[in-house]
Amino acid sequence: MSKTRTKPYHHGDLKAALVDGAVELIVARGVRHFSLAELSRRLGVTVAAPYRHFANRDELLAAVAVRALQAFGEALAAQSTETDPPGERLAAMAGGYVRFAAEQADLFGVLFGLGLDKKKRHPELREAYEDVEGTMAACVAELCPGDPDGAEQLTDAVEATAHGYAALLTDQPGPLDPADVDRAVEQAASATRALIDGRAAFRRSR
Amino acid sequence: MSKTRTKPYHHGDLKAALVDGAVELIVARGVRHFSLAELSRRLGVTVAAPYRHFANRDELLAAVAVRALQAFGEALAAQSTETDPPGERLAAMAGGYVRFAAEQADLFGVLFGLGLDKKKRHPELREAYEDVEGTMAACVAELCPGDPDGAEQLTDAVEATAHGYAALLTDQPGPLDPADVDRAVEQAASATRALIDGRAAFRRSR
DNA sequence: TTTACTTTGTAAGAGGCGCTAACATCGCAA
DNA sequence: TTGCGATGTTAGCGCCTCTTACAAAGTAAA
């Protein structure tokens, strides 16, 4: 949105082009086969050029992850219709979590399982992810009034469950069977409802 | 168990040595930094030698995964004391799932997130994993007599939840905080109890 | 025992990768 | 105009996976 303020140097905002190109390449071929060298070739630039803008490969991937996280957050927020009761909204978000992971499997793969050091090296990623968690937590808060501790545990549980369906679904290479995706989305929503209904179990173990 | 039937050739059962060495290297340094070349050097063999026994790097990793899966299965089975009620056994298994992932993070990393093509390329892995699922399913069957469909959904949900806690916990590089691990183990068990208590929600959506 | 065959390892190298240091170029600003 | 900092290139190091051609070691039949 807000780039190309002034026509930059040789290439013309190579930094942005690198991130854009990386997203394209990753979506096209998967994170696992992404290489800085191929990206450079595509942009008509030598393999050393990216290092003027990113300290290393992981830093570029972190920039891609920020993009992915943004799309992820939007996908989740889109599931949350204000009119629905909070439980259904939460279930829909869990489903949306899984659906995003399935439909944008490669971007999802940048967010997780890549071993990016979110805590120390890329705190902006951690923050962005906490925003996503916040969207869920807001929903849960309506369900557990006056029990912030239980709310947190329920939030974690819903997140873990959605993430588990998502991770197991996308662990396999190759294209996904749409029926599998739909089933996983449904199950994640159902499991969320079950967690809500059975949430008293969290109180028992404290 | 059943190797070294006859004294083999030059090295003396290099194939087994490769798998053993790979496990050691992976446990010591993480899957992400494992290389066939370093393993070969360690075994005093040229880098080409492993290709006499494994078509490629992934095939060796699949062999390592079989080992990991065996350890994983044993860790899960150890959680299942016959005397406990099935619900508590299931909760303990979920906790064991997470604890194994945390304590053997690198072996767990070989099982998931490596993109090994379990379905097509390494069906023996898929089978072994289905055994693990079977252990859980047996437990769930006691909880849901006469409802095989609901039992399957509950099994999937418990598996996904445990896997989600495990994956989120081990996504970060570096050593884990034992307190985080204990909390995740506890929460996985609690979430399992919640799923059991709220399992009627699975029936609602069919 | 000799010969032929199979299995296992080596030597050499192609092609890829991430990353670095030294050098060249370009735009801006003093 | 000159000088400087930002950006890109050239060249190269060291690592990787994997392949091909060759050598050695065991096995088994003649």
Side-chain angles (χ1 to χ4, degrees):
Chain A
M1 324 306 166
S2 65
K3 50 200 67 157
T4 58
R5 290 200 344 162
T6 68
K7 283 250 171 101
Y9 305 80
H10 310 84
H11 173 103
D13 213 347
L14 177 59
K15 181 161 187 171
L18 283 167
V19 180
D20 291 345
V23 170
E24 273 179 42
L25 219 52
I26 288 170
V27 167
R29 295 224 244 293
V31 204
R32 202 148 263 122
H33 303 104
F34 168 76
S35 92
L36 229 38
E38 182 180 3
L39 176 58
S40 304
R41 256 176 268 127
R42 286 217 168 186
L43 296 178
V45 128
T46 59
V47 294
Y51 292 90
R52 291 291 168 197
H53 302 278
F54 298 96
N56 52 47
R57 189 178 179 272
D58 276 4
E59 295 257 318
L60 172 54
L61 286 177
V64 172
V66 169
R67 289 256 181 114
L69 212 36
Q70 186 181 346
F72 187 40
E74 285 168 9
L76 279 202
Q79 298 293 333
S80 179
T81 318
E82 290 250 1
T83 54
D84 281 343
E88 275 314 297
R89 261 158 48 208
L90 197 60
M93 285 175 69
Y97 195 116
V98 176
R99 191 167 290 286
F100 178 88
E103 293 179 352
Q104 308 282 344
D106 295 299
L107 288 184
F108 188 78
V110 177
L111 293 180
F112 300 99
L114 210 60
L116 289 183
D117 193 342
K118 290 167 201 144
K119 247 183 225 139
K120 292 170 189 166
R121 196 93 60 187
H122 308 290
E124 79 280 10
L125 271 182
R126 187 70 219 152
E127 285 169 28
Y129 194 67
E130 272 160 10
D131 283 353
V132 168
E133 284 173 331
T135 313
M136 280 190 170
C139 238
V140 175
E142 294 185 43
L143 286 166
C144 305
D147 182 12
D149 240 46
E152 194 187 329
Q153 296 220 51
L154 181 55
T155 305
D156 286 354
V158 172
E159 188 188 338
T161 302
H163 188 79
Y165 278 109
L168 289 173
L169 190 64
T170 58
D171 186 51
Q172 281 293 109
L176 294 164
D177 180 347
D180 286 350
V181 175
D182 289 345
R183 193 161 39 77
V185 169
E186 266 310 305
Q187 289 196 359
S190 290
T192 300
R193 293 186 197 100
L195 284 170
I196 294 170
D197 291 355
R199 66 183 180 278
F202 289 108
R203 234 159 315 203
R204 282 208 299 275
S205 65
R206 284 208 307 268
Chain B
M1 327 311 165
S2 62
K3 50 199 66 155
T4 58
R5 290 198 347 162
T6 68
K7 281 247 172 103
Y9 306 80
H10 310 85
H11 173 103
D13 214 348
L14 178 60
K15 182 162 187 171
L18 283 168
V19 180
D20 291 346
V23 170
E24 274 178 41
L25 255 167
I26 287 170
V27 167
R29 293 225 246 294
V31 205
R32 204 148 259 120
H33 303 103
F34 167 76
S35 90
L36 228 40
E38 182 181 3
L39 176 58
S40 303
R41 256 175 268 129
R42 287 218 167 185
L43 297 178
V45 126
T46 59
V47 294
Y51 292 90
R52 290 290 171 198
H53 302 278
F54 298 95
N56 51 47
R57 189 177 179 273
D58 276 4
E59 294 257 320
L60 171 54
L61 286 177
V64 172
V66 169
R67 289 258 181 113
L69 212 37
Q70 187 182 346
F72 187 39
E74 285 168 9
L76 279 201
Q79 298 293 333
S80 180
T81 318
E82 290 251 1
T83 53
D84 281 342
E88 275 315 296
R89 266 162 39 213
L90 197 61
M93 286 175 68
Y97 195 115
V98 176
R99 190 168 292 286
F100 179 88
E103 291 178 354
Q104 308 282 346
D106 294 302
L107 288 183
F108 188 76
V110 178
L111 294 179
F112 300 100
L114 212 61
L116 289 184
D117 194 342
K118 292 166 197 146
K119 245 182 227 140
K120 292 171 189 166
R121 196 94 58 187
H122 309 289
E124 78 280 13
L125 272 181
R126 188 68 219 157
E127 283 169 26
Y129 193 68
E130 272 160 9
D131 283 353
V132 169
E133 284 173 330
T135 313
M136 281 191 168
C139 237
V140 175
E142 295 186 42
L143 285 165
C144 306
D147 181 13
D149 240 45
E152 193 186 329
Q153 295 221 49
L154 180 56
T155 305
D156 287 354
V158 172
E159 186 189 341
T161 302
H163 187 80
Y165 277 109
L168 289 173
L169 190 65
T170 57
D171 185 51
Q172 282 293 112
L176 293 165
D177 180 348
D180 287 351
V181 174
D182 289 345
R183 193 162 38 78
V185 169
E186 265 311 306
Q187 288 196 2
S190 289
T192 300
R193 294 185 197 101
L195 284 170
I196 294 170
D197 290 357
R199 65 184 180 277
F202 288 108
R203 233 159 314 204
R204 280 208 299 276
S205 65
R206 286 208 306 269

